[in-house]
Amino acid sequence: MIVHFPNADYSDFTSLLKDMKVTSYASLAKPNFLLVHYELPVFKFHRPQLIPVPSLCVSSYPGKRCGFVMKLQSTVAGRTRSSTDVDLSRSKKDKFNRESKEVNPSSFYTHPTLLQMKNERIANRALVYEFLRGIGIVPDELDGLELPVTAEVMRERVDFLHKLGLTIEDINNYPLVLGCSVKKNMVPVLDYLGKLGVRKSTFTEFLRRYPQVLHASVVVDLAPVVKYLEGIDIKPNDIPRVLEKYPEVLGFKLEGTMSTSVAYLVGIGVARREIGPVLTKYPEILGMRVGRVIKPFVEYLGSLGIPSLAVARLIEKRPHILGFGLDERVKPNVKFLLEYNVRQTSLAGVIAQYPEIIGIDLEKKLESQRGFLSSIIELGHEDFGRVIEKMPQIVSLSDKAIVRHVNFLKECGFSLEQVKRMVVGCPQLLALNVDIMKRSFDYFKSTMDRPLDDLVTFPAYFTYGLESTVKPRHKMIMRKGVKCSLGWLLNCSDEKFEERMSYDSIDVEEIEVDSSFDMNTLMKPSHEESDSEYEDDTDDEYE
């Protein structure tokens, strides 16, 4: 606001303007008319200033163009307001505050505060925890996990887990399973497993071993693993059995341990076409680290004299040997074999013939079997080592089977000393079918008409097929009038025997081939194709 008063005392104007709270000015060049405009000071007031403005004077005396203007201004963030606007703003604010105080808290437009919502969640969670403790579940590990809002929903979740066969103990072993929604997590996963062919009867054990599967996404986590298994030649019909045997495989990364394990096996000589059958029999290989488990195992067997290619053949036939703990079981068992008079040079053959010998509780079996054989046929410690070298499976042979075979040999007319010599020479006598042995012995006595000493010298006679080998060869030498030992007659291939029969002269004392295990036979590639149907790999058992 600009005011001009000629011949006035400006000190009086300052007082007047303070009383009026005038903060800005305007002027119209119109005689005897004064326009005053108020601006409202809000936060900050500038001190009054006297500014000479001779060109903006309003005066009824045009001849006099002198005077002063007082400027009083308030600003907020660079803006100016009139005193009238301030009054109106204050009025509206007071009205709004009065109306706010009159709002009913129960009005439709009111909302709970964040603190109220937090307190409500804490109270609901406390009720859920109380329910879980009441049925024996310890909820200590559930802090921070998203859980059902009410105890009733949690009860439905626990009931569903019970229907799957899981007990309170199972849930306590992995309480995080309570964070899985029945509709969003459990049902989709179980439906997918069922469609793959996993039997419902195995669901309980499946979830006990790998409850984390309930957290998985079918599309993102499970389906890619199944596709990978099919890609490494595990047949679709075998996938369910693989998952049942080793459900943990569903949690592995495709480019992690699984791919490196397969690559290493192929690298040491496992046939590519055998990878599928090997993993079907023992899918746990997919979870084994090459550097920590597989490679050290292969290298240790190599240090005993078994070439890596021979180890590859052993894995093809009995892949579960990779699960034998190297430090916990394998190395101690090798030490026990040496203590029981197995020669260092024979260790490779012993393991190659019977790989399970390095994975069983061997010390007790060795002690028990040596004591029993010593009592029944007076077998010495050195001879016990020779028996193991020729037939390491004897450590798992039952006492009943041994007694039955020893009694049979005694009934045939052999003395105890002869029986011992026969067992040391061919321990397989203690594991053969007794009925077949009887037929072979009857033919030996009635048709071949040989002395019992021939059997004591070559007890392996009982291991040859009567119809396929013994009878045809015996008839041939009878036609030629050849007299020879049983070893010369039987201990050779059919081709070798035909060659012997073509000799102009026959050296009946030809040195017999050593009957010890030949490692080269193990390293020959396997040409047998695996059946499409899944078959559990069960260990050979002896009577």
Side-chain angles (χ1 to χ4, degrees):
M1 179 184 69
I2 301 176
V3 184
H4 176 69
F5 294 95
N7 303 320
D9 185 358
Y10 289 98
S11 62
D12 295 334
F13 293 152
T14 303
S15 176
L16 175 62
L17 291 176
K18 286 182 179 181
D19 294 337
M20 295 174 61
K21 299 183 180 179
V22 178
T23 62
S24 64
Y25 48 86
S27 175
L28 294 176
K30 194 170 183 179
N32 301 320
F33 179 77
L34 177 64
L35 176 64
V36 179
H37 178 67
Y38 294 91
E39 284 190 321
L40 176 65
V42 180
F43 295 104
K44 181 178 178 181
F45 292 94
H46 291 279
R47 298 183 62 183
Q49 300 180 20
L50 291 177
I51 302 173
V53 285
S55 62
L56 296 177
C57 291
V58 178
S59 175
S60 58
Y61 301 96
K64 296 182 180 180
R65 302 177 57 85
C66 62
F68 292 88
V69 174
M70 176 175 285
K71 181 181 179 183
L72 185 60
Q73 178 179 331
S74 75
T75 63
V76 179
R79 296 182 302 169
T80 61
R81 282 190 171 184
S82 67
S83 58
T84 304
D85 292 339
V86 173
D87 292 338
L88 292 174
S89 177
R90 286 179 175 176
S91 176
K92 291 179 180 179
K93 184 175 181 182
D94 293 341
K95 180 179 179 181
F96 175 77
N97 290 336
R98 288 196 303 271
E99 291 177 350
S100 298
K101 292 178 181 179
E102 295 173 357
V103 174
N104 188 345
S106 62
S107 170
F108 176 78
Y109 296 100
T110 61
H111 298 282
T113 64
L114 292 176
L115 179 60
Q116 290 173 330
M117 295 172 64
K118 180 180 179 181
N119 291 337
E120 184 178 357
R121 286 196 301 267
I122 293 174
N124 289 337
R125 198 174 190 92
L127 293 176
V128 172
Y129 278 16
E130 183 180 355
F131 161 72
L132 293 176
R133 291 191 182 95
I135 61 176
I137 296 175
V138 181
D140 296 348
E141 297 182 29
L142 302 179
D143 292 342
L145 184 69
E146 185 177 351
L147 296 178
V149 177
T150 66
E152 186 60 31
V153 177
M154 178 58 80
R155 183 189 302 276
E156 294 176 359
R157 190 170 294 185
V158 173
D159 289 343
F160 187 83
L161 293 173
H162 284 333
K163 290 179 182 178
L164 294 174
L166 298 182
T167 64
I168 296 297
E169 182 181 359
D170 296 329
I171 297 175
N172 276 328
N173 289 335
Y174 187 74
L176 298 182
V177 74
L178 295 173
C180 297
S181 167
V182 173
K183 293 182 179 180
K184 295 180 180 179
N185 301 105
M186 300 185 193
V187 171
V189 168
L190 296 176
D191 282 348
Y192 178 72
L193 294 176
K195 290 177 182 178
L196 287 176
V198 177
R199 295 167 294 182
K200 289 185 178 180
S201 60
T202 67
F203 277 180
T204 301
E205 186 60 28
F206 192 105
L207 295 176
R208 281 175 181 162
R209 288 189 56 179
Y210 188 59
Q212 295 90 335
V213 72
L214 294 177
H215 293 284
S217 164
V218 171
V219 176
V220 177
D221 301 317
L222 305 186
V225 174
V226 171
K227 185 177 180 181
Y228 176 83
L229 295 178
E230 293 176 348
I232 54 178
D233 297 331
I234 297 179
K235 298 176 181 178
N237 291 339
D238 294 335
I239 293 291
R241 304 294 87 80
V242 169
L243 297 181
E244 289 174 3
K245 291 188 68 174
Y246 193 53
E248 293 88 343
V249 73
L250 290 172
F252 294 154
K253 294 182 179 179
L254 303 184
E255 299 303 324
T257 304
M258 292 195 294
S259 59
T260 56
S261 298
V262 171
Y264 182 81
L265 292 179
V266 173
I268 65 172
V270 175
R272 187 66 182 82
R273 67 176 181 277
E274 295 295 328
I275 288 294
V278 163
L279 297 177
T280 299
K281 294 176 183 177
Y282 195 66
E284 288 85 348
I285 291 175
L286 292 170
M288 294 179 176
R289 294 186 177 275
V290 171
R292 296 180 182 178
V293 180
I294 303 178
K295 185 178 179 182
F297 180 87
V298 173
E299 291 178 346
Y300 179 72
L301 294 188
S303 70
L304 297 179
I306 307 177
S308 60
L309 187 57
V311 177
R313 296 292 170 265
L314 291 177
I315 293 173
E316 290 176 2
K317 296 177 181 179
R318 298 187 178 277
H320 62 272
I321 64 175
L322 288 173
F324 298 158
L326 182 60
D327 295 322
E328 301 82 6
R329 184 68 74 182
V330 177
K331 291 181 178 180
N333 280 359
V334 169
K335 181 180 178 182
F336 294 142
L337 289 172
L338 294 173
E339 291 176 356
Y340 279 80
N341 302 108
V342 173
R343 293 168 293 187
Q344 179 76 38
T345 55
S346 299
L347 284 174
V350 168
I351 296 171
Q353 291 180 78
Y354 188 48
E356 283 76 12
I357 201 169
I358 58 174
I360 60 179
D361 187 4
L362 186 58
E363 184 179 19
K364 293 180 179 179
K365 288 182 176 292
L366 289 171
E367 182 179 359
S368 174
Q369 207 70 311
R370 185 174 67 178
F372 183 74
L373 289 172
S374 177
S375 66
I376 194 171
I377 58 174
E378 299 179 356
L379 191 68
H381 290 184
E382 289 294 330
D383 288 337
F384 182 65
R386 303 296 81 74
V387 168
I388 294 176
E389 291 174 2
K390 295 179 179 179
M391 194 186 81
Q393 295 89 340
I394 198 169
V395 299
S396 299
L397 205 59
S398 69
D399 295 348
K400 183 179 178 181
I402 294 175
V403 170
R404 182 167 62 250
H405 288 79
V406 168
N407 288 339
F408 165 74
L409 294 174
K410 288 181 177 180
E411 291 171 0
C412 291
F414 297 103
S415 66
L416 185 61
E417 178 62 28
Q418 288 176 322
V419 170
K420 182 177 73 171
R421 288 178 56 192
M422 293 173 72
V423 169
V424 173
C426 183
Q428 288 80 5
L429 292 179
L430 301 179
L432 297 174
N433 186 295
V434 174
D435 292 335
I436 294 177
M437 291 178 69
K438 287 180 179 179
R439 289 196 291 271
S440 295
F441 182 74
D442 290 342
Y443 183 80
F444 176 84
K445 288 293 292 182
S446 62
T447 304
M448 300 180 75
D449 193 24
R450 286 174 174 265
L452 290 180
D453 283 343
D454 284 2
L455 291 178
V456 174
T457 303
F458 190 71
Y461 163 82
F462 289 100
T463 64
Y464 291 90
L466 181 62
E467 300 296 332
S468 61
T469 304
V470 177
K471 287 185 178 181
R473 294 189 183 186
H474 175 69
K475 291 177 180 179
M476 188 174 292
I477 64 171
M478 291 300 290
R479 284 198 302 268
K480 286 186 169 285
V482 176
K483 291 186 177 181
C484 61
S485 66
L486 284 178
W488 191 93
L489 175 69
L490 300 175
N491 192 18
C492 62
S493 64
D494 290 340
E495 291 77 10
K496 180 64 176 178
F497 183 75
E498 291 290 342
E499 184 182 345
R500 286 178 177 181
M501 290 295 97
S502 65
Y503 291 164
D504 293 334
S505 61
I506 299 175
D507 182 4
V508 295
E509 300 300 329
E510 184 175 346
I511 299 176
E512 298 173 1
V513 179
D514 185 8
S515 61
S516 60
F517 179 77
D518 184 4
M519 188 68 67
N520 292 324
T521 61
L522 179 62
M523 291 189 287
K524 293 180 181 179
S526 174
H527 298 290
E528 297 179 1
E529 294 294 334
S530 300
D531 297 332
S532 59
E533 295 297 326
Y534 176 87
E535 295 180 0
D536 285 321
D537 183 37
T538 55
D539 295 342
D540 291 340
E541 295 183 358
Y542 295 86
E543 298 181 74

